[in-house]
């Protein structure tokens, strides 16, 4: 296979900025592609927090102005690399837009100028690729923040040369976040009003950046096969199911990979003791005691410990979790550790519960990589009762850390966790527990089944743990699928 040059465009990339799985994917997929002999150039905003990280960032010669509804806004291009790699990362520097407390919003909600910020980002990326003369083959655009780029490429915006040779791929990490703005913001996109129609950019009277990407990209991907079929139906289609059905076979689901250099209990520098599939009992015992002390819980080796990490949004099933905690904390011999940030009402309720039953529930309302790694290693079970889950990364990390996932059977959770029913246990394929109906009783049944196995059948529990630990969810296979899609787009482009 020939070597391709792929631009990866995203609003967050580890280790520079992260609020969720998007950042993990955009920081680790390019490493794998580069390892397979392809060149990747990454583009993201130069948020203040990125500039202050102390990473080696250089200025480039490239600077330009972008027209935003008639106003000229200056942009400087900065450059860095993904740490310990040759993968180049270009940072779009515009302090008025990107020197903010966080990425997308503050306590009051989303920043009011998000449409302007990310229209500027998309235009700047298209312009920078031209100015740098990168000659890319593929623009791989992630989520609504990069959704205008396929339209710029397809419509001859700015009369750039490179889009004639390149193809676009749009990846949906979560269909619920659509970049939907009032129709007057069409002016900010710089695209002609004739594209403001129900088949292209318009969405119920507004302009939708994600719909724009879905409609104009050469191919559309999402992050698991099950989610790809779910979003074609009204229940999970967030109003875009018709648009997605229209794309037919051009919509493909590919499970995210894991970067095992970052997420592996055998090498994890955050842990008090490393371990692998042959030493997991000793290793996890040390990590569990450490986790219990980090969260102020009594050090009890045989009490089952359930871990939860995630954004505090309704998507992640906090309603079920909180209701179960209310019922279980006082009368079950189970410990819980929870790490997350997000919606106030969930935080308040959890704080209230943790204050009443501190010996059973350890809570940290912050974003901390170190704690996330320690939970993955120290917990016995990992609970993920998401209402919907495009892919989910935490269950993949849990599998590798021998922390048995208990999940709602939706999206990527279906594609990655095999329920420990009798057949699966007998054939040695069981890797976790799943429940089908999104309800408190179904979740509690799955938890009860998991706890019973943990308490009474240590050997079978060990088999489930090891099955998960030995699985390979690294990027290799998924990156090969993306490459096949890139090639397919390019061959179709040549024919047209
Ligand atoms: P989503 O992208 O929907 O938030 P994923 O499971 O795909 O969910 O990815 C979430 C990523 O963010 C994981 O790497 C997870 O460990 C991390 N994460 C979420 N919340 C926190 C937190 N409070 N502290 C540290 N890491 C977190």
């Amino acid at each position: 296979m020939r070597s391709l040059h792929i631009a990866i465009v995203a609003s967050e990339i580890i280790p520079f900025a992260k609020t969720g799985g998007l950042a993990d994917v955009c920081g680790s997929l390019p490493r794998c592609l580069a390892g397979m002999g392809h060149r990747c150039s990454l583009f993201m905003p130069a948020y203040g927090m990125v500039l202050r990280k102390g990473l080696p960032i250089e200025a480039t010669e490239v600077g330009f102005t972008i027209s935003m509804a008639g106003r000229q806004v200056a942009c400087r291009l900065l450059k860095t690399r993904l740490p310990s790699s040759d993968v180049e990362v270009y940072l779009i520097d515009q302090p008025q837009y990107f020197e903010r407390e966080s990425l997308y919003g503050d306590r009051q909600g989303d920043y009011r100028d998000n449409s302007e910020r990310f229209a500027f980002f998309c235009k700047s990326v298209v312009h920078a690729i031209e100015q740098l003369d990168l000659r890319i083959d593929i623009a791989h655009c992630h989520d609504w923040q990069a959704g205008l780029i396929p339209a710029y490429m397809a419509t001859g915006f700015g009369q750039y040369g490179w889009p004639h040779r390149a193809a676009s791929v749009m990846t949906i990490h979560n269909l619920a976040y659509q970049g939907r703005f009032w129709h007057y913001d069409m002016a900010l996109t710089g695209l002609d009003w004739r594209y403001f129609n129900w088949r292209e950019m318009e969405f119920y009277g507004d302009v939708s950046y994600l719909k724009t990407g879905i409609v104009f990209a050469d191919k559309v991907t999402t992050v698991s096969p099950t989610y790809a079929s779910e979003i074609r139906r009204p229940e999970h289609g967030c109003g875009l199911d018709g648009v997605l059905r229209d794309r037919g076979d051009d919509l493909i689901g590919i499970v995210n990979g894991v970067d095992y250099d970052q997420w592996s209990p055998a090498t994890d520098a955050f842990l008090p003791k490393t371990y692998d599939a042959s030493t997991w009992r000793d290793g996890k015992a040390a990590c569990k005691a450490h986790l219990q002390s980090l969260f102020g819980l009594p050090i009890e080796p045989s009490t089952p410990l359930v871990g939860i990490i995630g954004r505090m949004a309704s998507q992640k099933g906090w309603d079920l979790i909180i209701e179960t905690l209310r019922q279980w904390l006082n009368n079950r011999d189970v410990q819980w550790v929870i790490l997350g940030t997000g919606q106030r009402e969930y935080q308040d309720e959890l704080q209230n519960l943790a204050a009443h039953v501190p010996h059973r529930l350890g809570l940290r309302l912050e974003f901390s990589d170190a704690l996330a790694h320690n939970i993955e290693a120290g917990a016995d079970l990992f609970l993920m009762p998401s209402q919907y889950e495009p892919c989910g990364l935490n269950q993949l990390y849990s599998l590798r850390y021998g922390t048995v996932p208990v999940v709602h059977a939706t999206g990527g959770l279906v594609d990655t966790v095999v329920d420990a029913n009798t057949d699966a246990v007998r054939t040695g394929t069981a890797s976790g527990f799943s429940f089908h109906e999104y309800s408190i009783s179904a979740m509690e049944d799955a938890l009860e089944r998991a706890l019973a196995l943990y308490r009474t059948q240590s050997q079978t529990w060990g088999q489930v743990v090891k099955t998960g630990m030995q699985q390979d969810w690294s990027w290799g296979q998924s990156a090969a699928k993306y490459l096949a899609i890139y090639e397919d787009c390019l061959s179709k482009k040549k024919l047209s």
Side-chain angles (χ1 to χ4, degrees):
M1 190 187 272
R2 70 198 158 121
S3 166
L4 298 179
H5 187 176
I6 304 139
I8 292 191
V9 188
S11 58
E12 47 184 277
I13 298 173
I14 51 158
F16 308 106
K18 164 168 168 173
T19 68
L22 166 67
D24 296 72
V25 171
C26 294
S28 47
L29 171 62
R31 278 179 197 278
C32 184
L33 291 170
M36 294 162 98
H38 302 279
R39 179 174 168 199
C40 292
S41 300
L42 276 50
F43 289 86
M44 68 172 284
Y47 303 111
M49 69 178 74
V50 176
L51 304 180
R52 286 189 293 273
K53 275 215 152 100
L55 294 162
I57 294 176
E58 307 156 21
T60 67
E61 302 282 290
V62 179
F64 44 82
T65 59
I66 294 288
S67 175
M68 298 299 293
R71 200 162 58 90
Q72 296 303 310
V73 182
C75 176
R76 262 186 343 143
L77 201 63
L78 308 177
K79 189 175 175 184
T80 181
R81 286 183 192 283
L82 282 184
S84 355
S85 83
D86 289 334
V87 176
E88 59 214 40
V89 181
Y90 293 99
L91 303 166
I92 302 294
D93 187 24
Q94 208 318 307
Q96 266 178 312
Y97 290 140
F98 300 123
E99 176 63 68
R100 306 259 170 112
E101 193 189 323
S102 56
L103 272 55
Y104 313 122
D106 54 23
R107 265 182 222 138
Q108 272 79 52
D110 288 348
Y111 293 130
R112 293 165 70 103
D113 58 351
N114 274 348
S115 58
E116 181 168 345
R117 297 170 76 220
F118 289 100
F120 176 84
F121 173 61
C122 290
K123 286 183 194 175
S124 299
V125 171
V126 172
H127 194 78
I129 291 172
E130 178 88 1
Q131 285 234 321
L132 292 162
D133 196 18
L134 289 181
R135 294 164 190 254
I136 62 165
D137 299 296
I138 298 287
H140 189 164
C141 306
H142 294 264
D143 276 352
W144 70 263
Q145 293 88 348
L148 296 178
I149 291 175
Y152 293 145
M153 291 170 67
T155 61
F157 173 85
Q159 300 182 326
Y160 298 108
W162 66 267
H164 299 292
R165 297 182 299 271
S168 60
V169 175
M170 183 78 219
T171 294
I172 304 165
H173 292 261
N174 190 335
L175 191 65
Y177 299 87
Q178 299 187 354
R180 181 174 169 177
F181 307 105
W182 78 319
H183 62 286
Y184 261 43
D185 286 351
M186 268 305 284
L188 294 168
T189 70
L191 288 160
D192 195 284
W193 276 94
R194 74 172 186 275
Y195 300 114
F196 189 73
N197 66 73
W198 67 275
R199 288 196 165 278
E200 293 175 313
M201 298 178 72
E202 189 246 345
F203 187 66
Y204 295 99
D206 293 332
V207 56
S208 163
Y209 286 12
L210 184 63
K211 177 175 174 180
T212 302
I214 292 170
V215 169
F216 284 98
D218 291 302
K219 292 265 183 203
V220 181
T221 73
T222 188
V223 288
S224 70
T226 297
Y227 192 61
S229 61
E230 286 173 348
I231 58 178
R232 289 183 167 98
R233 298 196 295 268
E235 308 88 274
H236 287 103
C238 302
L240 287 171
D241 45 293
V243 178
L244 291 161
R245 279 194 302 277
D246 277 353
R247 293 291 329 228
D249 294 344
D250 285 343
L251 168 63
I252 299 151
I254 301 174
V255 172
N256 288 332
V258 173
D259 181 351
Y260 287 129
D261 287 341
Q262 303 285 328
W263 292 96
S264 191
T267 52
D268 193 327
F270 288 116
L271 306 185
K273 185 168 182 160
T274 55
Y275 61 93
D276 61 24
S278 61
T279 57
W280 71 272
R281 282 193 197 268
D282 280 353
K284 279 189 83 69
C287 293
K288 183 170 176 177
H290 183 62
L291 180 62
Q292 286 165 326
S293 75
L294 283 175
F295 278 78
L297 295 170
I299 313 285
E300 294 173 0
S302 58
T303 303
L305 178 49
V306 181
I308 303 173
I309 304 168
R311 284 183 295 114
M312 290 184 174
S314 62
Q315 178 206 336
K316 299 290 178 183
W318 292 102
D319 294 320
L320 302 193
I321 294 168
I322 288 170
E323 197 45 49
T324 295
L325 287 172
R326 278 200 196 111
Q327 291 166 22
W328 282 29
L329 279 178
N330 279 315
N331 54 30
R332 304 280 169 124
D333 198 12
V334 176
Q335 290 181 334
W336 302 75
V337 289
I338 298 184
L339 172 67
T341 55
Q343 274 168 243
R344 190 82 277 145
E345 64 269 28
Y346 296 131
Q347 300 199 24
D348 290 349
E349 189 57 43
L350 289 165
Q351 254 172 334
N352 191 16
L353 289 165
H356 281 91
V357 203
H359 61 291
R360 290 262 164 75
L361 171 58
L363 175 67
R364 297 284 278 271
L365 301 174
E366 60 185 285
F367 199 96
S368 159
D369 271 341
L371 288 176
H373 284 249
N374 274 287
I375 293 174
E376 289 293 2
D380 299 301
L381 297 119
F382 193 91
L383 180 58
M384 248 175 121
S386 311
Q387 283 174 19
Y388 69 91
E389 192 58 79
C391 177
L393 288 171
N394 279 314
Q395 85 282 11
L396 296 176
Y397 303 152
S398 300
L399 289 170
R400 176 51 62 115
Y401 281 71
T403 305
V404 175
V406 179
V407 303
H408 178 217
T410 182
L413 300 173
V414 174
D415 298 326
T416 55
V417 176
V418 177
D419 182 70
N421 56 37
T422 321
D423 274 357
V425 168
R426 187 173 41 76
T427 53
T429 51
S431 61
F433 292 82
S434 60
F435 56 98
H436 286 269
E437 183 187 282
Y438 183 76
S439 70
I440 294 166
S441 61
M443 183 184 88
E444 290 181 355
D445 282 352
L447 272 173
E448 296 278 24
R449 283 195 294 131
L451 291 168
L453 195 74
Y454 175 83
R455 288 195 172 109
T456 62
Q457 297 188 49
S458 173
Q459 209 186 335
T460 310
W461 182 262
Q463 185 193 316
V464 175
V465 165
K466 277 193 179 176
T467 300
M469 290 189 80
Q470 286 163 347
Q471 288 179 349
D472 180 4
W473 293 99
S474 58
W475 268 105
Q477 285 186 28
S478 299
K481 288 182 184 155
Y482 277 114
L483 282 169
I485 289 171
Y486 300 156
E487 285 291 359
D488 192 29
C489 295
L490 289 170
S491 60
K492 288 200 174 116
K493 201 168 166 98
K494 262 194 208 129
L495 291 177
S496 66

